[in-house]
Amino acid sequence: MHWELSKEELIGEGMNEKEAEWEVMERFGSEREIGCQLQQSIFPYRKELMLTLSVASFFLSVCTCFCCLLRRKYMLAGSFYLCLFIHCSLLSL
C-alpha cells in the first residue's frame, strides 16, 4: 500500500512509471536491511531466546553426562571424557 502511494506521488511529480518504481525501491532500502527489520519486528527476542536455549541445553548435557559417570562409578576414567565433552561443547558455542 505504502509502495503504491509513493509511486503514485512520484508519477504525479512528473516521473514516468519505471523511474518512479526505481525511486521507491531505493527509498525503501536494501533487501537485507528490510529483511532484518522484519525479522526483528516479528521475533523481537529471538537472539535472547536462542542464547537461553543454548546455555540451558549445555548445562543439561553436562549434568546428564556427570550423573551417568557418577552412577556407573567411572569417575576417574570418565573424567577425561567429561572434560573432552565440555571442551567440545564450549568450542561449538
Side-chain angles (χ1 to χ4, degrees), residues 2-49:
H2 179 68
W3 189 84
E4 287 292 329
L5 291 174
S6 297
K7 180 180 161 186
E8 289 174 13
E9 182 181 316
L10 290 172
I11 290 173
E13 292 176 3
M15 286 188 176
N16 67 31
E17 189 173 343
K18 282 289 183 193
E19 289 174 340
E21 286 178 3
W22 280 105
E23 181 65 27
V24 169
M25 283 191 278
E26 285 184 27
R27 288 183 184 180
F28 267 90
S30 70
E31 297 144 0
R32 182 181 181 107
E33 182 181 330
I34 293 170
C36 289
Q37 291 174 359
L38 280 173
Q39 183 78 10
Q40 183 64 27
S41 68
I42 294 171
F43 304 110
Y45 300 109
R46 182 176 181 267
K47 288 182 181 178
E48 292 84 359
L49 176 65

Side-chain angles (χ1 to χ4, degrees), residues 61-62 65-66 69 75 77-87:
S61 299
V62 169
C65 183
F66 189 69
L69 290 174
M75 192 61 189
S79 62
F80 169 75
Y81 294 109
L82 178 63
C83 291
L84 182 64
F85 172 77
I86 292 171
H87 179 71

